[in-house]
Amino acid sequence: MNIIVDKHATGVKARSTQTIMLLVLLALAPGILSYTVFISPLVIFNIIFAVCSAIALEWFAVHLRGDNGLNSIKDGSIALAAALLALCVPPALPFWQLFIGVLIMVMLGKQVFGGIGHNPFNPAMVGYAALLVSFPQSMTFWFTAAEWSAMGMQKPPLLSLLNAKLSLDIIASTPNIQWDGLTQATPLEHARSLRLQSLPQSSTELNQRAFGSGWIQTSLGFLLGGVFLLYKKVIRWHIPVSVIGSFALLSLLFSTNSLSLPWSLLTGAMMLGAFFIATDPVSAASSRRAQLVFGTGIGALTFVIREFGGYPEGFAFAVLLMNLSVPLIDHIDLLMSQRA
Amino acid sequence: MSTFGVIAVVALTIIVLIAMGALLSYLSRTGSEKHADPDAELIEAVNAVLPQTQCAQCGYPGCRPYAQAIIKNDEPINRCPPGGEQTIEQLSTLLGTPVLALDTSCGQQKPEQVAVIKEDICIGCTLCIVACPVDAIVGAAKLMHTVIADECTGCELCIPPCPVDCIDLIQPEQTAASWQWPKPAS
Amino acid sequence: MGMFGKEKKACMQGPLLFGFHGGLQLQPNKRALQNSTDPITELEAPHELVIPLLDYNKNSIAPQVELNQHVNRGQLLAAGIIAPATGQVMAIEPRHIIHPETIKANAVVLEVDKASDNQSVHMANQANHDSTAWDTQLSAFLNMPDNVLQQSALYGLGGAGFPTASKLDAALGGIQTLIINAAECEPEIACDEALMQTEATHIARGIDALVQLTQCRHCLLAIEDSMPAAIDAMSAALKSINAQVKLTVIPTIYPTGAESSLIQTLTGRFIPHNEKPSDHGIVCFNVATAYALYQAIGGKALDSRVVSLGGSAMPNPLNVRVRFGSSVEAILLATGNASVINTARLRAGGPLSGFDLDTPQVPITAQTNALLAEPCITETPAQPCIRCGECSDVCPAKLLPQQLHWYAMSDDHEKCQQLNLDACIECGCCDLVCPASIKLTQSFRYAKSKAKHIAQHQQKTLDAEQRFALHEARVAKRKQEKAHAIEQRKQSLKARSKPQSDQIKAALERAKLSAKSKKPR
């Protein structure tokens, strides 16, 4: 059959899936940069490791299915998902655990459903959730560059940390590092433990701690990338605004946390999640109106999990739960638009 | 509560229940009156699935008789060559019976076809006109006959009676009105 | 009537435009107008014209001429089809028609008699310059509009090709707003723009005739802001004849020229696809149709149109006025574009709404607004949908192309219906923005034509069932009648045999008696 719609003759060049994924990866750059500087340079190794193993696994899975694995890698979606997963896990996570996360992400998060476009869940969040429930100790094991000095400790050389990441159990294998002093390092985790133990919480102290930990700077980096994506119209405003908006509103009204609102937005995964994770078009709701509902649900669930749940951060579970309700949201949206 | 009260409540309950039961049975009775003959409805449904070629290849003199036979005499659902696999599948979903392979003793499924009379050979014997189950052939004794292409179902029943073999079956040509856009490669 | 009230308010808001959902800003890219000195070049009728005998619904119609018959320009060849030139009927046979896939249709093949045809052109030109006759012609038309409309075989030149007479019939009386569509929003197509630049006064007269005929309250002429020369020409022309027409300049957004989008832009009213604009007191005509009406009132039937020759591979892009039935090949040869026949991909219509041609030996029709030559390219194969939703953002019919594509490809026609596939105007916007290069528009065209085919087939099945039932009833009745007749015959025989036997008996009695009487003797 001949050409039906002659795109070539109209001079319109639609952005390809590949371009979209590359733009999102580019938009991650400022966040990754401040992560490297303010939290840990180990993240670079995590990203490289996750991306390479994800690409290899994706090729393998697509090949098993009898398709051309190269085509599937070329669209860049799996590289993006791997980078997002690497940004969500603690920098000190042993490589073998990260590999399991990547394996689950590629196989159970994406390929079992038929590859790109067919996965109901955000693959990166599937991998993250699996890691969080499988390796709770290493998945809540955070330390930041600033904290080494804050604790008055010698920062271990990068090489020895990398060496530790290659081992099976990072804590047991590096006895010369005093890990114990560094537990519960994320500001969210700290605020949560204070609240749970009914210890007095000083807002200024918590805020300072958050800033000192490097989280604020990193979140600002992701925010910058998100604004870039909005400017380039790779994502639309509906999801990020509704995620952040509903979370902020609920925090203002009901938060028992002493962390002030801007600080609670800028610690944890809120910026990365609202602009880069929740906006994954494949697993998000389809119409703009449904996206507002989808985003509001994520923001609200994140707040609920942070406030009442067993985990200091609830973004991944909020996204997965809302992914689960996307078919319902889309269906109701369709019925409503048909009635109108 | 007094004894009278208890009796009153029990009696009222019984009355209400009986009334509801009566109403319900009345309603369902009038309902079932509407569906006086469930077989007739099924025959309608089966007939709607059949291709209405009226070719009689199933051994019955038309689609409706075959539909009646399926319902009343448990005739197998795979005796319709013009409907082919598609019709068998539709019938099996409709009747909840297993899908069968087409009974080739009845014939093979053929692409859509229409009869055409070679008008220079036709002797005007009217035998085909009598044979046509859908009155798609026009003509009169000792005058040339012709097939109304739009009405012809391609049943082939006009072929055997023709004494001069002047009827051909052709596949209808693609016209501007019947043309369809092709499905894009997925 | 409540609807009309609302509509009136919308129009009285004047310059305020309402816009429509979605759409895309495309480069107009009107090579046919930019690269040539004359807006329109007249082409002589080619040696042979092929006029397919098809009606508006693409059904075959019977010819009203015979083989070897001499026909004059404007003479009826079949119902609603006129001879575009003077000549002789050389054949009435199946010929290729202009179509996405090469198919044939019964056509009248006309050998043009150049000498007498040139004479007819000369006479027509003279009539055109005689402007004093216009007023009498116009009043004659307004008195007896049907005469002109029938004789000149007018149909819309916008794209759908709907017969103008039936459109006017449906609209007469209840028309509030008359819209003249000069939006011409699709890239490469410049025939309306060229027509407005050269024939502004005549177009204005045609519009004026429509205004007077429909007795509408408002008449809007909508031109896109990308064609300033046409806007100037039309505004001067409308002023000069003092026509009650409001020239509205609209933003250049594809597909603003689609009827539903244009009505929405101008009035703010969204007309569902299963309703006609005339149900809402609105009627739309293409600007070229208005011009054709002007010509028809002057006695010249609709037998030619302006075609834009364009595309990036066209060596000599220009607008030409050609007779209906001229072959694409003849047009390309006559304009010095013969080289594209073997080197480029030919396309009839615009880059979005048109289709590629397999062969240039096909005749153009009233709907052929452009002929494009584009380089041969291989399309990117479709990738999986990533559900980005860009397609529904640009859809002017407010559909969900992503979901519709899914159902169209899985032949779920019921779901397609539910999602309003019939409202799709096949503008191609969704294809343009899809990051996965999915062929959405083609799948919609496929599903629509398939649904139509299924409906036709169902109708045929129902007819066959009915005819069979009637046939069976008739056969049964005849059998019964035969049986009845036989029975009657038996009865009547019996009845007759009774008296006979009596007579025999009587005769025997008499014989016996006579025998007896004889014996004693």
Side-chain angles (χ1 to χ4, degrees), chain A residues 226 230 235-246 274-275 278-279 295:
Chain A
L230 281 173
I235 59 172
R236 300 297 165 104
W237 60 267
H238 305 76
I239 291 180
V241 165
S242 56
V243 170
I244 296 170
S246 68
F275 288 102
T279 50

Side-chain angles (χ1 to χ4, degrees), chain A residues 253-267:
Chain A
L253 295 175
F254 305 112
S255 181
T256 55
N257 217 322
S258 302
L259 211 58
S260 66
L261 179 63
W263 268 196
S264 70
L265 282 174
L266 290 173
T267 57

Side-chain angles (χ1 to χ4, degrees), chain C residues 365-438:
Chain C
T365 67
Q367 282 82 56
T368 316
N369 49 14
L371 291 172
L372 308 183
E374 295 287 353
C376 302
I377 46 166
T378 44
E379 282 189 296
T380 359
Q383 292 158 322
C385 169
I386 57 165
R387 303 184 6 112
C388 65
E390 293 289 330
C391 49
S392 35
D393 283 350
V394 297
C395 180
K398 294 190 198 168
L399 301 177
L400 298 167
Q402 176 197 318
Q403 283 89 329
L404 271 171
H405 175 74
W406 175 259
Y407 293 126
M409 293 301 280
S410 50
D411 289 310
D412 191 339
H413 298 290
E414 210 170 298
K415 273 274 191 238
C416 284
Q417 213 92 67
Q418 268 177 29
L419 291 181
N420 230 351
L421 177 64
D422 293 337
C424 170
I425 58 167
E426 299 167 25
C427 64
C429 282
C430 46
D431 275 54
L432 289 188
V433 296
C434 179
S437 314
I438 296 171

Side-chain angles (χ1 to χ4, degrees), chain C residues 78-378:
Chain C
I81 299 176
I82 54 152
T86 306
Q88 198 175 9
V89 178
M90 294 310 286
I92 300 174
E93 60 185 16
R95 285 291 189 105
H96 286 305
I97 57 169
I98 195 158
H99 199 269
E101 229 169 48
T102 347
I103 59 169
K104 287 182 173 181
N106 216 19
V108 172
V109 182
L110 213 61
E111 194 186 59
V112 177
D113 178 354
K114 293 248 175 177
S116 51
D117 190 67
N118 284 343
Q119 210 175 349
S120 79
V121 174
H122 184 69
M123 274 161 65
N125 283 346
Q126 266 191 332
N128 259 352
H129 293 296
D130 190 5
S131 60
T132 46
W134 170 249
D135 289 332
T136 43
Q137 281 168 343
L138 179 61
S139 57
F141 165 68
L142 291 174
N143 283 336
M144 300 282 280
D146 283 348
N147 278 358
V148 171
L149 293 173
Q150 297 305 335
Q151 269 171 26
S152 55
L154 273 194
Y155 31 91
L157 292 167
F162 196 71
T164 305
S166 12
K167 202 169 184 176
L168 276 171
D169 266 354
L172 279 185
I175 287 307
Q176 304 283 308
T177 308
L178 172 70
I179 294 174
I180 305 297
N181 187 347
E184 194 162 67
C185 51
E186 195 168 348
E188 301 280 4
I189 303 174
C191 45
D192 290 350
E193 186 174 356
L195 194 66
M196 285 189 285
Q197 286 181 13
T198 51
E199 305 282 351
T201 323
H202 297 159
I203 294 171
R205 284 190 171 151
I207 299 174
D208 188 44
L210 277 172
V211 171
Q212 294 194 37
L213 180 69
T214 58
Q215 303 198 314
C216 58
R217 287 200 197 160
H218 325 272
C219 177
L220 300 168
L221 169 65
I223 310 181
E224 277 189 340
D225 56 10
S226 60
M227 18 180 141
I231 295 170
D232 290 347
M234 283 314 299
S235 122
L238 290 172
K239 216 168 271 172
S240 74
I241 65 159
N242 204 12
Q244 295 301 306
V245 178
K246 187 173 170 130
L247 199 158
T248 314
V249 179
I250 55 172
T252 306
I253 300 170
Y254 178 81
T256 184
E259 192 174 71
S260 56
S261 308
L262 187 64
I263 292 174
Q264 228 187 327
T265 305
L266 295 174
T267 69
R269 295 266 289 282
F270 180 76
I271 299 188
H273 70 95
N274 45 9
E275 288 170 33
K276 278 183 290 190
S278 56
D279 300 339
H280 296 254
I282 301 170
V283 69
C284 280
F285 287 101
N286 188 273
V287 68
T289 314
Y291 176 69
L293 179 68
Y294 162 79
Q295 297 238 302
I297 293 171
K300 190 165 170 282
L302 175 59
D303 57 13
S304 66
R305 71 158 295 142
V306 183
V307 178
S308 295
L309 304 186
S312 55
M314 191 70 80
N316 183 22
L318 76 170
N319 286 305
V320 286
R321 177 172 280 284
V322 291
R323 305 286 173 87
F324 298 152
S326 312
S327 83
V328 170
E329 192 178 31
I331 296 170
L332 292 173
L333 284 171
T335 52
N337 286 312
S339 64
V340 301
I341 292 172
N342 294 317
T343 56
R345 179 165 57 87
L346 285 174
R347 197 172 168 83
L352 292 135
S353 63
F355 47 84
D356 284 6
L357 290 175
D358 290 329
T359 159
Q361 276 113 8
V362 286
I364 68 130
T365 67
Q367 282 82 56
T368 316
N369 49 14
L371 291 172
L372 308 183
E374 295 287 353
C376 302
I377 46 166
T378 44

